[in-house]
Every structure is written in structure tokens, then in C-alpha cells.
């Protein structure tokens, strides 16, 4: 099974709201990722967790706060977002962060900030 | 800094008309080159990993090849269901860099 699940599928939030995106995998993968994707653009890396520790933060604004509670779960906490943050947010996992392991992506959360 | 350039940006084919997509890259210490397929509004779906020049991999109507500077995704006798955006990515130092993708449309 190569499934990565994400909830919710769609999210509409105001600029003062606090919400969270959730991601889960049961493949035993030790690396997990958050990407942001705008229309007709490639996925843009936000964060990488390796063995439940934050490994890469691509200078993401602090209104995005990642969390990795255990090896199967990844959260992205959202607060005080801007309309330009509206995008498809993708979670992915891989066997490891290095050594050329392919990534498996979830279906994404379509976020709209009003 | 790792760079990936895909061409063409868009490709329209008739069903059965074979063609190739190109991915040119520069990377410091290639760990792997990946091809993904992405349908509108969905997450990318893994297709292939290539590790070294000369390597080839096939899956149904798709064949991926790798040289030291570029990779090709060959599509043989495509069908309308092959219509999608095809993304190329390279992994260097701990993260993957994606190209902008090639959007393939196959007309029946």
C-alpha cells in the first residue's frame, strides 16, 4: 500500500482563523514533506521532517507551523494567513530523506483564504 | 543551486502519435531523477526513478532514459488517458527540485 491520506480535502478560512491540515502514512516511511502548489506551477517545498525531526524549513513564514507527532503523522498549523496563501497543499512521504528515494504524495488539501 | 528545465511546456498529440518529453538538469551530486504524473487537482503520482547515466525504465507505454545532463520520457502510441502533466525532479542534497512540467494532451 502506497497511500498517503490528507484531511480535509477542502478548507475555506478567514484571515483571522486558526486551522490545521493533517497527513498520515502507514508505509513505515521516515521522511515526510509539506509542499505548496499554485495553479500551473510545480510543487514548492515548505518543510521536511526526517525521523520526526524538522530537517528543512524553506524560509516559510511563521504563520505556517509544522508538527510531527509521530512517525506516521504530519500536521500543518495555519494562523493569520493571507489571501496569497490560497493553494493546493500537498503532503508526501519517502523511505528516507536521502539516497534517491521516491516520494509518495497525498491528494492534497485545497485551501482558500478569504 | 539545483536546476531542472522541462520542454516543451505543452504537447498536443493525436492518439497513437509517439513523442518524447525532455528534462534537462544540473545538480550537485545526483541521488536520483524522478518522473511523476499529475492529474488536475490531484497529487503527483510516482512513475520512475533513474540513478545513473544509461539507465532505462519502462512501464506500459512509457519509457524513461537518463544521460549525464538530461532525461527523456518517451510515450509510445499514447491514449487519451495519458493526458496529464508530467513532472521531472532531481534529488541532490536532501531535497528534490521540480521542473515546471510538460502538459500532455492526447486527442482521440
Amino acid at each position: 500500500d502506497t497511500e498517503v491520506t490528507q484531511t480535509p480535502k477542502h478548507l475555506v478560512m478567514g484571515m483571522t482563523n486558526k486551522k490545521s491540515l493533517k497527513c498520515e502514512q502507514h508505509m513505515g516511511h521516515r521522511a515526510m514533506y509539506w509542499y505548496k502548489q499554485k495553479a500551473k506551477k510545480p510543487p514548492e517545498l515548505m518543510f521536511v521532517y526526517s525521523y520526526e525531526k524538522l530537517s528543512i524549513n524553506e524560509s516559510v513564514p511563521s504563520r505556517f507551523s509544522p508538527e510531527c507527532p509521530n512517525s506516521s503523522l504530519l500536521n500543518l498549523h495555519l494562523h493569520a494567513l493571507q489571501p496569497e496563501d490560497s493553494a493546493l497543499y500537498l503532503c508526501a512521504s519517502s523511505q528516507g530523506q536521502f539516497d534517491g528515494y521516491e516520494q509518495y504524495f497525498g491528494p492534497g488539501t485545497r485551501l482558500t483564504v478569504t | 543551486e539545483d536546476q531542472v528545465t522541462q520542454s516543451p511546456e505543452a504537447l498536443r498529440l493525436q492518439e497513437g502519435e509517439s513523442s518524447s518529453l525532455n528534462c534537462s538538469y544540473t545538480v550537485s551530486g545526483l541521488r536520483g531523477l524522478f518522473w511523476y504524473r499529475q492529474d488536475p487537482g490531484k497529487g503527483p503520482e510516482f512513475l520512475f526513478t533513474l540513478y545513473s547515466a544509461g539507465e532505462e525504465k519502462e512501464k506500459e507505454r512509457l519509457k524513461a532514459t537518463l544521460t549525464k545532463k538530461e532525461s527523456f520520457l518517451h510515450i509510445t502510441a499514447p491514449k487519451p488517458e495519458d493526458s496529464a502533466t508530467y513532472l521531472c525532479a532531481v534529488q541532490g542534497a536532501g531535497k528534490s527540485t521540480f521542473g515546471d512540467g510538460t502538459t500532455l494532451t492526447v486527442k482521440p
Side-chain angles (χ1 to χ4, degrees):
Chain A
D1 183 15
T2 57
E3 187 179 25
V4 175
T5 59
Q6 290 187 244
T7 56
K9 289 185 178 180
H10 301 276
L11 178 63
V12 179
M13 60 185 291
M15 293 166 60
T16 58
N17 291 160
K18 286 185 180 181
K19 297 286 185 181
S20 296
L21 309 184
K22 297 184 183 300
C23 173
E24 190 167 5
Q25 57 89 13
H26 293 288
M27 294 177 277
H29 288 175
R30 304 318 301 252
M32 296 186 76
Y33 310 78
W34 280 116
Y35 288 88
K36 172 183 177 180
Q37 188 175 29
K38 292 280 213 179
K40 300 191 184 300
K41 293 290 186 183
E44 178 184 344
L45 183 66
M46 300 174 71
F47 303 103
V48 181
Y49 272 82
S50 178
Y51 289 87
E52 302 167 45
K53 293 187 177 180
L54 185 63
S55 175
I56 294 177
N57 176 343
E58 290 287 85
S59 301
V60 178
S62 60
R63 57 185 183 269
F64 295 92
S65 176
E67 178 195 21
C68 188
N70 60 54
S71 60
S72 300
L73 293 173
L74 189 66
N75 298 323
L76 186 63
H77 302 297
L78 314 173
H79 173 55
L81 295 191
Q82 303 297 310
E84 58 264 28
D85 296 322
S86 298
L88 181 68
Y89 286 83
L90 295 163
C91 174
S93 71
S94 65
Q95 193 169 340
Q97 183 181 350
F98 304 100
D99 297 327
Y101 292 114
E102 68 274 12
Q103 294 180 25
Y104 293 91
F105 286 81
T109 294
R110 173 69 61 187
L111 174 67
T112 303
V113 182
T114 60
Chain B
E1 185 177 328
D2 301 342
Q3 286 192 316
V4 178
T5 303
Q6 292 188 245
S7 62
E9 185 176 322
L11 181 62
R12 299 171 69 89
L13 299 173
Q14 287 296 129
E15 184 172 1
E17 180 186 2
S18 302
S19 188
S20 297
L21 283 57
N22 177 262
C23 171
S24 298
Y25 66 92
T26 56
V27 62
S28 178
L30 179 69
R31 301 296 184 97
L33 183 141
F34 311 95
W35 283 98
Y36 295 88
R37 169 195 170 125
Q38 186 172 25
D39 293 302
K42 297 188 177 181
E45 174 189 352
F46 169 70
L47 295 174
F48 303 108
T49 307
L50 301 167
Y51 294 104
S52 58
E55 190 174 1
E56 299 182 353
K57 288 192 176 173
E58 285 189 69
K59 179 181 179 181
E60 297 181 354
R61 295 178 292 282
L62 300 177
K63 179 180 177 180
T65 62
L66 181 65
T67 72
K68 288 187 177 180
K69 294 184 178 181
E70 57 190 352
S71 177
F72 292 93
L73 184 65
H74 306 279
I75 303 176
T76 302
K79 298 182 177 182
E81 54 262 41
D82 294 322
S83 297
T85 296
Y86 291 84
L87 295 165
C88 173
V90 294
Q91 186 188 85
K95 65 178 184 179
S96 291
T97 300
F98 283 81
D100 286 346
T102 293
T103 299
L104 173 66
T105 303
V106 182
K107 296 283 192 180

